Amino acid sequence: MKSDRAPINFTVNGALMSVTAAPMRRLSSVLRDDLRLTGTKVGCDAGDCGACTVLMDGEPVCACLLPMASVEGTSIRTVEGLGNGSLSALQASFLAHGAAQCGICTPALLVTASALLERTPQPSEQQVQDALGGVLCRCTGYRKIVEAVMEAWRWNDDSAAAPHPPAGTVSPPAGGRQMVATLTPPSPRLRGEGKGDGQFTLPLSGAAVGSSPVRLDGIPKVTGAELFGGDSFPADALSVLVVRSPHHRASFSFGDLGAYIADNAGVAAVFTARDIPGINSFGVIPPFADQPALAEGETRFRGEAVALVACDGWAARDLDMAAFPVTWRELPAMLEPPGAQAEGAALVHANRPDNLLVRGLVERGEPENALAQAACVVSGSMQTSYVEHAYIEPEAGYAFLDDDTLTIVACTQAPHMDRDDTARILGLAPDKVRIVPTATGGGFGSKIDISLQPLIGLVALKTGRAAALAYTRQESMASTTKRHPASMRATIGTDADGMISGMLFDGTFNTGAYASFGPTVANRVPVHASGPYATPNYRAVARAIHTNGPVSGAFRGFGVPQATLMQETLYDELADKLGIDRLQFRLKNALRNGSETVTGQRLEAGVGIGECLEALASHWTRALSEADAFNATNSATKRGVGIASCWYGCGNTSLPNPSTIKLGISPDGKVVLHQGAVDIGQGSNTVIAQIAADALGLPLGDFVLKGADTSMTPDAGKTSASRQTYVSGKAAEKAARALRDTVLRYANVSNEASLQLLQGGLLVVHEGGERRRIDLTQLETDKDGLAFAAEESYDPPTTPLDAKGQGKPYAVYGYGAQIAELEVDLALGTVRLVRITAAHDVGKAINPLLAEGQIEGGIAQGIGMALMEEYIPGRTENLHDYLIPTIGDVPPIETILVEVPDPEGPFGAKGLGEHVLIPTAPAILNAIRHATGATMTRVPATPSRVLSAIQEARR
Ligand code: FES
């Protein structure tokens, strides 16, 4: 291979390059590894995701497919070359529209769109969709991307000269990510401040809560400077490869590992479970920890890791992993709960009889009696599939020893949990493991569980060298967690007036080979299976059952999206049977202030489901009448309209869930916010700073963020369960108010005083006509170099659930409802989405633009779950066979932000991230039924399933 290497000459971003490379080596590898242009991402290495898109002679190409032999003499343009030192109009437009969330897809979208805009400066929506169809985004739902490209021309004025921010700086931890905060430009569409000439005022002062400043970590996302898990590997790091089980279940033994090392030049070491110095078991819920970092003797699912191969330099590239000395003996496997629960079925874990991990129950009143006396009763079943998170960034990171501290720089949603699990596996004290999160290119729940952290940590610990690993797309999909497939049945009854009188729900959730968040799903589902409706008599049971399938874990909603499919589709049947309008039926039964939930929790205030449904009422009427008009003139295609609601308790279910936030004022006159709530694209860097700014009474422009780092920032908990805005935001609010009190006390003024930071380290306190000047440079500082500081924690006030599931599982709930409009081709069973209208009660929209982005992104994932996503182990372990929505699959989305303040949330805010996905799929299924009369009882509703349901309905 090496003898083929030859100089290849080409230009990159206008600079002449000569790279000696093998002719078949991919351009993506040369750009990233040799030229360190890591703005070009690799999401699949197969041309499926488009994250590696660059321009070759002005045309978009996938750099991961392009052999270097074909690059000779060409001109390559990457994201780093878009702005020529300042932001291009397109980059500025992306920032202003909130078109980048995690940002991993953003470079590819930008270069692809820039080619379009060179040809067509003001493209139509269709032209944008056609041009960007090859680049996948899992976060945004694409709508803001479309807007940003269509409106880029607004920034294309000489006087705009691309807004030049940075107004603040996020301090990167050593070896960690670089983030630069900026507070400009605001969105002209949202704020109405655009002057048409590209000039915008900067929202550096005034109320931060309720405004939509550009996200503080936005600039690196649009310049390619943001460093994700695989973007900063040390040049001398060992490359780690993982040997994984090719079978759903197998025993295995190793051959001569020493001979393998000796026979393969470049292989520095091999490690197996025998090398693990600590407890070879991890899990997100410590009492259920059961998953080995490296399996011992038997693997329980396809893709489970058994050994590590550490290679020098480029050796990993050419290594034949098929020659690794491992002998497999395939064993009978159970992939579905019925097999795992059959009499005599093998136990996946010897200590869990019947392969039952956890059974969750909520029971209230007398549901059987209520159903027996009900005027109207419906029953049904629903089945859902494994759903893959399909974040565009496969897991990646590196580890190294810093004196006696193992430092791991990797993408994650939960740095402190990573630290504790990794320390236990490697036999280290927790304070001898430091987790430095990189930017995380999407997570959606799966990156809460550890993946590569103990693997690269083991190699670094044993060899004393840096160790790096980036999962391939296939191993990411095969080895990490999925959404639980569910098999559910339910019966719901009403009285003659259409008031819900009773409900029975029974769900079996395939939790796969290991526990992960199976207990959470089993406990959360029964609490939520009623939907946000008063249900006086109720019993819901959910079981998490072990199989030899992939590990099911956290995925946006923790089982609630599955349960809501069951409940909301039955609600449509009930409404139809009763002859009540479907929206009105939901409104009639909606929880209100003062209602009791199925766990007996009295909701005193902040219940916004009624307001959400009311906000949709005019859209519902319009959509129904448009559907009627359409159907009157079309026979081959029918239009349908569906509605569904959601509620979701924010944070852990009846368990401690604290966040701690520290902030202070530095001698140079900056507010330093230790922001440990990992921002995986959802916007916590910005939202938590906005809350802190208003609670403290200083403008956002004075803020500097210190990103998550377990050695530096307090534990703000994991990014999951829609808890960061509410829980960490509340901690930030408390800490900021405490800091304000400290300063006011120091200045001996009342709470009416206002604060002002001036250059040179002056803090000015104004009260009445008086001004007191505090010279910050003359004050003593704490260990973090802060002249004034405060640290506060917040833990939601919940109570444990009793044996019947009664109690207060959550302190705050969020609510929402969505309408889906679609057309079904009756001959083909294909579904075309026309529009989604979403009303979500967020309590207080801390940042309306980011809230909209969450809603649009969640809806896109709900569309995938409803219509196309089905992970089948061994068959859909890539982004070619596993389909997620593309830019053409997401219809226009109208978002209505409802603000019913919650007394507990910071500034009244509630969580949002999980809620937004929950109503989409049931609204789509209800729209299919409205269009065709066909009742879908399985998702995804692929064309063949829709067609057979239509045929069934006609019988
Ligand atoms: Fe597109 Fe995250 S912003 S994948």
Side-chain angles (χ1 to χ4, degrees):
M1 206 68 166
K2 286 193 173 66
S3 60
D4 294 339
R5 286 155 56 97
I8 295 168
N9 303 304
F10 58 111
T11 65
V12 178
N13 300 326
L16 200 56
M17 297 284 170
S18 183
V19 173
T20 300
M24 293 309 291
R25 208 170 138 212
R26 316 280 180 91
L27 173 62
S28 53
S29 167
V30 168
L31 289 172
R32 290 175 54 80
D33 301 333
D34 296 19
L35 305 180
R36 301 301 263 190
L37 292 170
T38 55
T40 298
K41 308 302 180 187
V42 174
C44 67
D45 231 4
D48 295 326
C49 74
C52 63
T53 304
V54 298
L55 301 184
M56 185 164 84
D57 295 331
E59 291 300 320
V61 292
C62 277
C64 77
L65 297 180
L66 212 60
M68 285 305 293
S70 61
V71 177
E72 174 72 37
T74 65
S75 169
I76 301 296
R77 200 166 175 207
T78 70
V79 68
E80 289 90 348
L82 287 187
N84 291 324
S86 61
L87 294 184
S88 70
L90 179 62
Q91 288 167 313
S93 185
F94 259 59
L95 280 179
H97 285 90
Q101 288 189 20
C102 81
I104 191 83
C105 67
T106 307
L109 289 162
L110 286 167
V111 296
T112 309
S114 69
L116 167 68
L117 294 178
E118 277 173 24
R119 294 191 306 271
T120 312
Q122 293 188 37
S124 66
E125 179 168 341
Q126 190 59 53
Q127 286 172 314
V128 174
Q129 290 190 343
D130 290 346
L132 301 187
V135 183
L136 295 176
C137 173
R138 189 58 157 167
C139 300
T140 64
Y142 301 103
R143 300 308 303 176
K144 301 213 176 298
I145 292 166
V146 171
E147 289 172 16
V149 177
M150 291 178 70
E151 296 189 11
W153 62 271
R154 290 178 183 275
W155 278 261
N156 216 359
D157 185 297
D158 286 346
S159 61
H164 252 302
T169 302
V170 177
S171 307
R177 61 176 150 158
Q178 303 279 328
M179 296 195 298
V180 179
T182 178
L183 302 168
T184 174
S187 159
R189 184 180 65 82
L190 277 175
R191 300 176 65 85
E193 293 174 2
K195 299 170 187 169
D197 59 0
Q199 294 182 337
F200 301 95
T201 54
L202 308 185
L204 294 177
S205 61
V209 169
S211 69
S212 296
V214 165
R215 55 186 307 146
L216 302 190
D217 50 9
I219 292 277
K221 293 179 189 294
V222 299
T223 58
E226 184 151 53
L227 298 179
F228 292 85
D231 290 342
S232 57
F233 288 173
D236 61 350
L238 290 166
S239 292
V240 180
L241 299 171
V242 187
V243 181
R244 297 183 180 280
S245 173
H247 305 294
H248 299 301
R249 183 175 167 227
S251 62
F252 63 95
S253 58
F254 297 117
D256 188 340
L257 298 176
Y260 176 76
I261 296 170
D263 292 347
N264 286 277
V267 173
V270 170
F271 299 106
T272 67
R274 298 174 69 163
D275 299 298
I276 290 176
I279 298 167
N280 187 16
S281 174
F282 68 88
V284 285
I285 307 173
F288 293 93
D290 58 2
Q291 185 164 357
L294 294 170
E296 300 178 41
E298 181 177 319
T299 56
R300 294 182 172 91
F301 73 100
R302 178 185 154 84
E304 185 163 10
V306 299
L308 307 173
V309 181
C311 301
D312 273 306
W314 302 119
R317 245 186 233 155
D318 301 328
L319 197 63
D320 178 11
M321 289 295 282
F324 186 82
V326 59
T327 303
W328 299 100
R329 191 167 69 86
E330 189 173 1
L331 298 171
M334 308 161 297
L335 293 178
E336 309 274 352
Q341 291 181 293
E343 186 137 353
L347 294 182
V348 179
H349 297 274
N351 62 343
R352 292 180 184 147
D354 303 323
N355 286 313
L356 174 68
L357 171 63
V358 163
R359 176 180 181 270
L361 166 74
V362 170
E363 184 175 293
R364 185 165 180 76
E366 297 181 350
E368 281 86 358
N369 279 349
L371 290 170
Q373 291 167 22
C376 181
V377 176
V378 296
S379 293
S381 66
M382 180 67 65
Q383 258 191 294
T384 73
S385 305
Y386 274 120
V387 183
E388 156 67 20
H389 297 73
Y391 28 76
I392 304 302
E393 180 206 29
E395 293 72 7
Y398 66 95
F400 63 97
L401 280 171
D402 181 7
D403 290 330
D404 62 347
T405 300
L406 177 68
T407 302
I408 294 176
V409 182
C411 55
T412 182
Q413 293 180 240
H416 282 79
M417 289 169 63
D418 291 355
R419 180 196 64 183
D420 294 349
D421 260 346
T422 303
R424 191 169 59 248
I425 292 166
L426 299 181
L428 298 171
D431 66 351
K432 294 300 176 194
V433 176
R434 177 188 181 196
I435 303 290
V436 182
T438 62
T440 296
F444 316 116
S446 188
K447 289 177 182 170
I448 303 173
D449 300 67
I450 55 170
S451 53
L452 48 67
Q453 291 86 352
L455 308 183
I456 54 178
L458 179 64
V459 174
L461 200 62
K462 291 286 182 181
T463 64
R465 295 178 58 184
L469 170 57
Y471 279 7
T472 64
R473 172 57 57 183
Q474 189 273 336
E475 77 178 324
S476 171
M477 292 180 75
S479 68
T480 62
T481 61
K482 307 282 168 280
R483 180 182 296 288
H484 283 72
S487 180
M488 301 166 286
R489 292 198 57 78
T491 301
I492 310 178
T494 71
D495 65 17
D497 291 333
M499 299 302 292
I500 298 294
S501 55
M503 175 175 181
L504 290 170
F505 172 94
D506 186 285
T508 297
F509 291 74
N510 183 348
T511 209
Y514 295 105
S516 183
F517 277 106
T520 306
V521 167
N523 286 316
R524 184 176 276 271
V525 163
V527 175
H528 288 83
S530 65
Y533 307 105
T535 310
N537 299 286
Y538 178 81
R539 184 184 307 113
V541 175
R543 289 170 219 85
I545 301 296
H546 280 301
T547 66
N548 295 112
V551 182
S552 298
F555 191 168
R556 223 169 182 169
F558 287 97
V560 180
Q562 296 94 308
T564 305
L565 270 164
M566 180 76 269
Q567 169 261 314
E568 284 289 336
T569 50
L570 287 184
Y571 264 45
D572 260 28
E573 290 187 38
L574 275 173
D576 286 353
K577 263 183 128 172
L578 288 159
I580 303 176
D581 172 84
R582 292 176 284 157
L583 185 147
Q584 291 303 324
F585 175 64
R586 288 169 170 83
L587 200 49
K588 197 178 176 77
N589 285 287
L591 292 167
R592 304 279 176 185
N593 288 341
S595 295
E596 285 196 359
T597 70
V598 290
T599 70
Q601 179 179 359
R602 186 176 163 83
L603 302 172
E604 299 293 352
V607 181
I609 182 59
E611 285 79 351
C612 290
L613 289 164
E614 280 159 6
L616 290 178
S618 61
H619 301 269
W620 178 247
T621 308
R622 189 261 316 145
L624 288 173
S625 95
E626 284 180 13
D628 285 346
F630 181 93
N631 292 335
T633 55
N634 289 276
S635 55
T637 300
K638 290 294 180 187
R639 185 174 283 202
V641 185
I643 188 167
S645 306
C646 73
W647 70 324
Y648 190 83
C650 305
N652 287 351
T653 309
S654 287
L655 288 171
N657 198 201
S659 268
T660 303
I661 295 282
K662 175 175 182 174
L663 81 170
I665 300 176
S666 61
D668 62 348
K670 285 288 176 191
V671 182
V672 181
L673 175 61
H674 288 236
Q675 211 297 84
V678 177
D679 193 329
I680 57 171
Q682 85 282 25
S684 55
N685 279 335
T686 309
V687 166
I688 290 172
Q690 288 179 262
I691 291 168
D694 280 8
L696 176 59
L698 279 168
L700 209 48
D702 287 340
F703 273 64
V704 170
L705 302 191
K706 279 201 186 296
D709 178 337
T710 58
S711 72
M712 193 184 301
T713 47
D715 186 1
K718 59 191 186 294
T719 292
S720 79
S722 300
R723 62 178 295 284
Q724 294 296 22
T725 296
Y726 157 44
V727 182
S728 296
K730 185 79 172 182
E733 182 190 14
K734 286 179 68 180
R737 293 200 194 285
L739 176 62
R740 177 179 171 80
D741 285 348
T742 302
V743 172
L744 297 184
R745 266 202 313 276
Y746 183 90
N748 198 22
V749 294
S750 79
N751 197 34
E752 300 304 309
S754 62
L755 307 180
Q756 183 184 21
L757 281 166
L758 298 178
Q759 281 190 341
L762 274 183
L763 172 59
V764 184
V765 182
H766 301 261
E767 186 168 41
E770 302 284 308
R771 281 166 33 127
R772 293 169 199 222
R773 298 159 73 91
I774 301 171
D775 185 349
L776 296 165
T777 64
Q778 298 304 306
L779 300 182
E780 278 187 31
T781 57
D782 70 2
K783 66 178 175 52
D784 294 311
L786 300 171
F788 292 103
E791 178 174 315
E792 291 287 334
S793 297
Y794 173 75
D795 195 5
T798 61
T799 65
L801 296 178
D802 66 15
K804 290 196 166 182
Q806 298 296 293
K808 180 183 177 184
Y810 312 101
V812 169
Y813 295 83
Y815 306 87
Q818 296 177 6
I819 295 171
E821 297 167 65
L822 53 77
E823 290 164 8
V824 183
D825 185 312
L826 299 181
L828 300 174
T830 51
V831 173
R832 186 182 82 83
L833 292 167
V834 175
R835 187 183 295 106
I836 305 267
T837 309
H840 282 270
D841 170 26
V842 297
K844 172 69 185 174
I846 304 293
N847 184 316
L849 184 64
L850 289 175
E852 278 184 26
Q854 283 297 293
I855 291 169
E856 291 171 7
I859 285 171
Q861 291 184 356
I863 290 169
M865 183 181 174
L867 296 177
M868 64 188 80
E869 295 190 37
E870 183 166 17
Y871 179 80
I872 304 169
R875 280 179 45 195
T876 60
E877 294 167 351
N878 57 63
L879 293 174
H880 181 72
D881 296 306
Y882 185 86
L883 300 178
I884 65 172
T886 68
I887 199 167
D889 293 318
V890 181
I893 294 171
E894 182 167 348
T895 295
I896 303 164
L897 294 177
V898 175
E899 294 183 319
V900 178
D902 190 286
E904 189 68 24
F907 294 92
K910 304 165 180 171
L912 178 68
E914 327 278 312
H915 313 65
V916 292
L917 175 147
I918 296 169
T920 310
I924 289 172
L925 261 51
N926 285 340
I928 292 173
R929 182 171 179 272
H930 180 235
T932 65
T935 300
M936 301 303 304
T937 58
R938 181 159 190 188
V939 288
T942 54
S944 62
R945 287 178 183 150
V946 172
L947 210 48
S948 52
I950 291 171
Q951 286 158 359
E952 177 71 28
R954 284 176 178 160
R955 277 191 204 119

